[in-house]
Amino acid sequence: MAFQPVFLWSDILLFLLIAVVVAGVFYVRSQPHMLEPWRRVGSSGSAMASLTLLLLFVLIGVLDSLHYRPRLESVSAGTNDVRHSVEVHSAFDVLAQVLRRGTEKTYSAPFAAYLYDKENIDRPDGTQFRDYPRLKHAAVHLQDPPSQLAPDVAFGLARALPVAAAVWLALALGVARRVARQSACSVASAWRAIWRRETPIAWNGALTALGATLALVVPLCLLSADYHVFGTDKVGQDVFYLTLKSIRTALVIGTLTTLVMMPFAIALGVVAGYFGGWIDDVVQYIYTTLNSIPGVLLIAASVLMMQVVIDSHPDWFATSAERADARLLALCGILGVTSWTGLCRLLRGETLKLRELDYVQAARAFGVTQVRIMIRHILPNLMHLVLISVVMDFSGLVLAEAVLSYVGIGVDPNTVSFGTMINQARMELSRDPMVWWSLLAAFVFMFVLVLSANLFADVVREALDPRLQVLSRNRLIRKAAHA
């Protein structure tokens, strides 16, 4: 085999979580009462636009989670000894091969043809002079970069934008044909209905976000074949490639932490609220004690202890990727253990109210067991709070990783993340001339990811929270009365 598959624990858990989400989607589609709130989410233009961007981020994260070790060439001819590299690659690395074509010597600005710093260059006669050296892997096709670079970039943009428009039009027509089949109308009628917001799903929001993304991504990808579109960092790595690699780390932190957080929060919150008494007192004591400890100090101590364990057992890990993945999973676990208290408190308060309702009292009167009451009658009425909390906590966890990696207690230094990029860029801001593109690239991508998650979370909260549904219904009634 030309490669050896590598299954990191974070990959397995991420794909398991995706499988659970897909199974949940099929289950919700078979339950009309559960499907109705999600139809309200789908009818929101901002929700569909945010979901489109989130799915693009997820696609990059999934491709970057398909890891393998490439096969090495045999040292001696005629031998059948198969060896694989200790360096772990991913399917995304194969697709982004053009971004990994080679590293420069040091910093270079976006779309530059020269290094960012002057160096001593030898003349043919043996003398030296100081100038900006040419890059080895970017703008090499230009004979006279000062006069040719701007027209070449403009020509690349002019060539890429029609490609982006063609891809968008093909996808938009596919959506229109689907709407036409569902509505039993012509494609032209479906096209008009999409842009007049007359479809049950706000396809106009999704197509608008997709068009804007393609208009930015396609030119960047095509121009990346000839330029470092976001420049290079201190060791000459392409910043655009590092930024895209950071997406997987953000997704892992934002999603896998919920696997640790939810069991604690749901179990302890429901048990404390339903039984009350000394059980409630113990649970309150636990999460009050945890909340009284400064979170950053607790996370720092836990991460450092875990790092000591990893350093003491190097034989546990065959590659550096497995070692970095162990610290990433440890950080997910630590963040989950320290962030479940808020959801637990919320579920406890809601359970205190639900246990006094008539249908719960009737179940007790009929002799239904306590466990069955909690699973059958209490937990389903709490799931909207769980979903809202998970979606809204995602952006907070992404930002938490950035802050922790910035102060040096986050992911492994070998793991590419927004936090490590910002941490490495902080010293670059104080140099002269200032290197600003690494920080800006990490900030922009993290901002788009967090903003998309927050906008989607707001719509989900409005659709699933019964109190907000009542307020929205009352507003519509008052507006109709005034009209």
Side-chain angles (χ1 to χ4, degrees):
M1 185 179 291
F3 62 90
Q4 178 183 359
V6 176
F7 301 99
L8 302 178
W9 279 107
S10 59
D11 299 338
I12 297 173
L13 294 176
L14 184 61
F15 285 117
L16 177 62
L17 185 60
I18 292 175
V20 171
V21 172
V22 172
V25 169
F26 282 102
Y27 178 74
V28 169
R29 291 184 61 182
S30 64
Q31 305 293 326
H33 68 284
M34 299 177 68
L35 184 60
E36 185 60 31
W38 291 103
R39 284 177 175 166
R40 289 195 291 271
V41 174
S43 64
S44 171
S46 61
M48 292 301 297
S50 302
L51 182 61
T52 301
L53 295 176
L54 290 174
L55 289 177
L56 292 175
F57 281 113
V58 170
L59 176 61
I60 295 174
V62 169
L63 291 174
D64 203 19
S65 298
L66 299 172
H67 290 103
Y68 70 95
R69 293 168 60 183
R71 181 178 177 177
L72 297 176
E73 297 294 335
S74 300
V75 178
S76 56
T79 61
N80 295 324
D81 188 17
V82 178
R83 297 182 181 273
H84 295 87
S85 172
V86 296
E87 186 178 359
V88 178
H89 299 281
S90 68
F92 174 76
D93 294 333
V94 176
L95 297 177
Q97 187 66 36
V98 65
L99 300 177
R100 304 175 63 246
R101 60 186 177 274
T103 58
E104 306 295 345
K105 187 174 182 180
T106 184
Y107 299 112
S108 65
F111 293 101
Y114 300 91
L115 288 178
Y116 200 57
D117 293 324
K118 288 185 176 181
E119 294 182 357
N120 292 326
I121 302 177
D122 295 327
R123 289 191 177 98
D125 58 1
T127 60
Q128 292 184 335
F129 68 99
R130 290 189 63 80
D131 200 356
Y132 297 100
R134 284 291 300 269
L135 297 177
K136 297 180 179 179
H137 305 284
V140 295
H141 62 292
L142 302 180
Q143 300 298 326
D144 183 23
S147 61
Q148 295 177 341
L149 192 144
D152 187 68
V153 172
F155 177 74
L157 288 174
R159 185 179 53 185
L161 289 177
V163 175
V167 173
W168 179 85
L169 186 59
L171 295 174
L173 289 177
V175 172
R177 282 196 291 267
R178 177 181 178 181
V179 173
R181 287 197 303 268
Q182 293 177 345
S183 304
C185 63
S186 64
V187 175
S189 299
W191 182 267
R192 288 192 297 269
I194 288 174
W195 296 108
R196 292 175 181 174
R197 301 180 181 180
E198 296 174 354
T199 55
I201 298 177
W203 290 112
N204 60 318
L207 292 176
T208 301
L210 183 61
T213 303
L214 289 174
L216 292 174
V217 172
V218 172
L220 288 176
C221 292
L222 293 181
L223 289 172
S224 295
D226 298 320
Y227 299 97
H228 298 296
V229 293
F230 285 170
T232 56
D233 62 2
K234 186 175 182 179
V235 296
Q237 292 180 299
D238 191 277
V239 173
F240 187 32
Y241 170 74
L242 296 178
T243 308
L244 294 176
K245 290 284 287 184
S246 301
I247 293 175
R248 177 186 179 272
T249 305
L251 293 177
V252 169
I253 292 289
T255 55
L256 294 190
T257 303
T258 59
L259 294 178
V260 181
M261 177 185 69
M262 282 197 301
F264 285 100
I266 294 176
L268 295 180
V270 172
V271 168
Y274 183 79
F275 289 105
W278 67 269
I279 298 179
D280 188 19
D281 294 338
V282 170
V283 173
Q284 287 189 72
Y285 178 80
I286 293 174
Y287 66 63
T288 302
T289 303
L290 279 176
N291 284 335
S292 64
I293 304 174
V296 176
L297 295 180
L298 182 60
I299 293 173
S302 303
V303 168
L304 293 176
M305 291 172 59
M306 187 63 193
Q307 188 61 41
V308 171
V309 174
I310 293 175
D311 293 339
S312 302
H313 301 84
D315 54 306
W316 289 358
F317 314 104
T319 62
S320 60
E322 295 179 4
R323 176 190 177 95
D325 186 67
R327 177 160 173 172
L328 178 61
L329 287 179
L331 182 62
C332 292
I334 294 164
L335 287 174
V337 170
T338 57
S339 61
W340 61 270
T341 56
L343 179 59
C344 178
R345 184 186 293 109
L346 184 64
L347 296 180
R348 170 188 170 273
E350 191 70 13
T351 305
L352 287 172
K353 181 181 70 175
L354 292 175
R355 72 176 186 178
E356 303 299 333
L357 296 182
D358 292 340
Y359 65 90
V360 176
Q361 299 294 336
R364 287 177 178 170
F366 279 108
V368 180
T369 62
Q370 309 282 17
V371 175
R372 184 170 180 81
I373 290 176
M374 287 187 288
I375 295 177
R376 183 73 175 175
H377 300 291
I378 301 294
L379 188 58
N381 290 284
L382 298 175
M383 290 311 297
H384 70 281
L385 295 176
V386 175
L387 289 175
I388 292 170
S389 178
V390 168
V391 176
M392 296 189 70
D393 285 346
F394 173 83
S395 57
L397 292 169
V398 173
L399 294 175
E401 182 277 325
V403 173
L404 293 173
S405 296
Y406 175 77
V407 299
I409 56 174
V411 298
D412 189 87
N414 294 326
T415 301
V416 184
S417 71
F418 294 125
T420 55
M421 289 184 65
I422 295 173
N423 184 31
Q424 294 170 2
R426 62 176 177 174
M427 299 302 297
E428 301 170 354
L429 297 177
S430 61
R431 71 189 303 273
D432 187 27
M434 181 177 66
V435 177
W436 48 268
W437 46 86
S438 295
L439 180 63
L440 181 63
F443 170 78
V444 169
F445 273 73
M446 186 169 62
F447 172 77
V448 173
L449 176 60
V450 172
L451 179 63
S452 302
N454 283 341
L455 292 177
F456 186 70
D458 287 339
V459 179
V460 171
R461 181 172 61 89
E462 293 177 2
L464 297 181
D465 194 336
R467 291 170 296 182
L468 293 180
Q469 294 179 27
V470 173
L471 292 176
S472 178
R473 192 180 301 112
N474 292 337
R475 280 198 302 268
L476 293 176
I477 293 174
R478 287 196 298 268
K479 189 180 295 184
H482 290 303

